[in-house]
Amino acid sequence: MAVRMEINRYDMKSRVPGTKRSFELLADVGLDEPLTMPVLQVDGVRDGNTLLVLASVHGDEYEGVETALRLFRDLPPEKLAGTVVLVPAANPLAYRGGARVTPEDGLNMARTFPGNPEGTPTERIAYELHHRFIARSDFLLDLHSGGTHYAVSALVGYYHDDGSDVGRRSRAAAESFGAPLLWAHESVAPGRTVSSALALGVPWLYTEAYGGRRVRRDEAELFYAGALRLMRHLGMLEADDAGKEAGLPPAAAPLRVYGDGNFDGSETAGADGFFLPSAALGTIVRPGDAIGDICGLDGDVRETVRASREGLLVMIAGTPTVRRGEPLFMLAETRSGMTPRETAH
C-alpha cells in the first residue's frame, strides 16, 4: 500500500535497503486540492548509484509508464546496488487528461524546466521534479515516445560532448542501452528535463518510440531491456542479473545522428489537408526528395512536401489530418564517412 506524504518530506536518498516502496506525494501546484504524484522506489541491499526514471512527462506517451511499472514489479532488491526511483506519471495532470500538454494551463512541461514554485501547475510540477528528484539523482532516464501527434523512430538521445564528464558518461550509457538509433545532442535547448540534468551535472538519456497512444511490443521490450542494460552499465546489477534482458539479442552497433531534437522546430505543413507520406520513417532523404503529399478531399494535391536538406527522417506527423503551420516532419543530421561508433565529434 502506498505511503501518503507531503512532497517536501520525501527524500529519495533515504534508503531502506532490500525493499520496494510506493509513495503518493502530495504537492501544492496552485489548484483547489493538492496534486498526488505516484513514486516507486527500489532500494538495493548494497550502496550504489541512484537512477531516476521518469515517464509520462507528456501525458499521452505510455511506453515509459509500462516500463516503470514492469521494472518496479520485476527488480529484485536483493540483487540491486543503489536505488531506482520510478515516477510513472511525471505530469499527473497531463496523464489524467491523456494529453501532451497540461489541460489546466496549456503548457508543455518539457519546455518549462527548471520550473517555478509560484508559477502555473505545470511550472510547479517541473520545479518539484528538478529540485527533489533530478538534483538528487546520479543518472536520469527520461522515457518518451511520439504520443498522439508524432510518429518517431525508436531511439535514445544523449549529450554528445566528449570534452566533459557528463558528456562522456551520457555517451557511454547510450551505447550500452541497445537502441538501434542514437541521437547525439551537442547542445540542448532550455526547458527540458535533460537541460535541468545538464545544468545540475547529472548525466542523462532519453528515449523516443513510435507512439500513437499504443504500446508496440518490440519497443516496450527495447525500453525494458535497455533500462536493465543501463543499470548493469552503472554497476547497479550484475551481468548475470541483467543478461537475459527480456530475451533480446546482444545490442548491435547503432546508427548515430545529430541535432537538437526539438520537435517544435520541425518542418511544418504548408496547407491544410490529408497527408499521404511517400518516405518511410527511419530512411535517409536528400534535398528535393518527396516526403509526401497533402491532399484535399476533392483529390487535389495542395502541397507536395519535399526535403530541404539531407537527413534521417526521425519524425513524421502521427495523424494524417494536418493543418498549415503544424509540425509535419523532422530530419536529423547525418555525417558522411562516420561509422556507427565513430570517435570524431
Side-chain angles (χ1 to χ4, degrees):
M1 186 173 180
V3 176
R4 290 174 65 85
M5 66 170 62
E6 299 291 333
I7 196 168
N8 57 10
R9 293 180 51 223
Y10 172 73
D11 181 2
M12 60 191 281
K13 290 288 191 179
S14 178
R15 287 169 34 82
V16 181
T19 65
K20 294 184 182 184
R21 293 178 289 165
S22 176
F23 299 90
E24 291 181 349
L25 303 184
L26 303 177
D28 178 8
V29 298
L31 301 175
D32 293 339
E33 299 291 335
L35 178 69
T36 300
M37 178 179 292
V39 174
L40 309 173
Q41 183 162 331
V42 184
D43 292 324
V45 294
R46 302 182 302 280
D47 290 337
N49 285 304
T50 298
L51 171 64
L52 174 62
V53 180
L54 299 181
S56 206
V57 166
H58 296 129
D60 60 347
E61 299 174 6
Y62 300 124
E63 293 84 349
V65 180
E66 176 181 312
T67 301
L69 295 176
R70 288 179 66 189
L71 289 172
F72 184 69
R73 180 194 67 188
D74 295 348
L75 277 174
E78 66 276 10
K79 294 185 177 181
L80 182 69
T83 296
V84 179
V85 175
L86 306 134
V87 186
N91 186 343
L93 298 175
Y95 177 78
R96 186 165 59 197
R100 180 174 174 83
V101 302
T102 306
E104 284 76 2
D105 57 21
L107 294 183
N108 176 352
M109 196 167 77
R111 303 294 179 266
T112 64
F113 281 83
N116 178 355
E118 305 298 328
T120 70
T122 305
E123 292 170 328
R124 295 192 191 198
I125 298 169
Y127 178 87
E128 298 290 355
L129 289 170
H130 174 92
H131 288 275
R132 301 195 188 280
F133 291 88
I134 300 174
R136 302 282 286 161
S137 65
D138 297 310
F139 201 100
L140 168 65
L141 174 61
D142 189 5
L143 301 170
H144 286 265
S145 73
T148 304
H149 301 283
Y150 309 114
V152 187
S153 294
L155 60 87
V156 164
Y158 73 97
Y159 183 48
H160 187 81
D161 178 11
D162 287 344
S164 72
D165 180 64
V166 171
R168 289 189 295 271
R169 292 169 65 190
S170 296
R171 174 173 175 159
E175 292 173 350
S176 78
F177 196 88
L181 179 64
L182 301 183
W183 201 340
H185 299 294
E186 294 165 315
S187 63
V188 182
R192 307 182 193 181
T193 58
V194 297
S195 59
S196 270
L198 189 58
L200 293 163
V202 176
W204 53 265
L205 300 178
Y206 77 88
T207 64
E208 292 288 355
Y210 191 85
R213 302 183 72 175
R214 299 290 187 275
V215 179
R216 295 186 172 196
R217 295 323 311 161
D218 58 339
E219 292 175 336
E221 298 308 323
L222 171 63
F223 280 22
Y224 180 76
L228 294 177
R229 287 178 177 135
L230 174 61
M231 290 178 214
R232 184 176 64 187
H233 170 77
L234 295 173
M236 300 176 72
L237 285 176
E238 297 294 335
D240 289 344
D241 298 331
K244 293 183 180 179
E245 287 146 351
L248 292 185
L255 175 67
R256 198 183 312 267
V257 293
Y258 300 80
D260 177 73
N262 184 354
F263 290 168
D264 293 343
S266 304
E267 299 199 40
T268 59
D272 297 347
F274 195 96
F275 182 56
L276 301 176
S278 53
L281 192 67
T283 58
I284 293 176
V285 297
R286 292 172 174 77
D289 286 355
I291 303 296
D293 292 326
I294 298 176
C295 299
L297 295 182
D298 57 2
D300 286 348
V301 176
R302 297 179 178 176
E303 181 189 15
T304 295
V305 180
R306 298 188 181 278
S308 60
R309 59 184 177 87
E310 181 174 317
L312 186 81
L313 186 62
V314 292
M315 184 279 283
I316 200 163
T319 51
T321 54
V322 299
R323 294 185 181 277
R324 179 185 178 89
E326 290 183 344
L328 188 64
F329 71 97
M330 173 173 272
L331 300 177
E333 178 189 352
T334 58
R335 296 183 180 177
S336 60
M338 289 187 174
T339 62
R341 292 187 180 273
E342 81 289 0
T343 56
H345 63 93

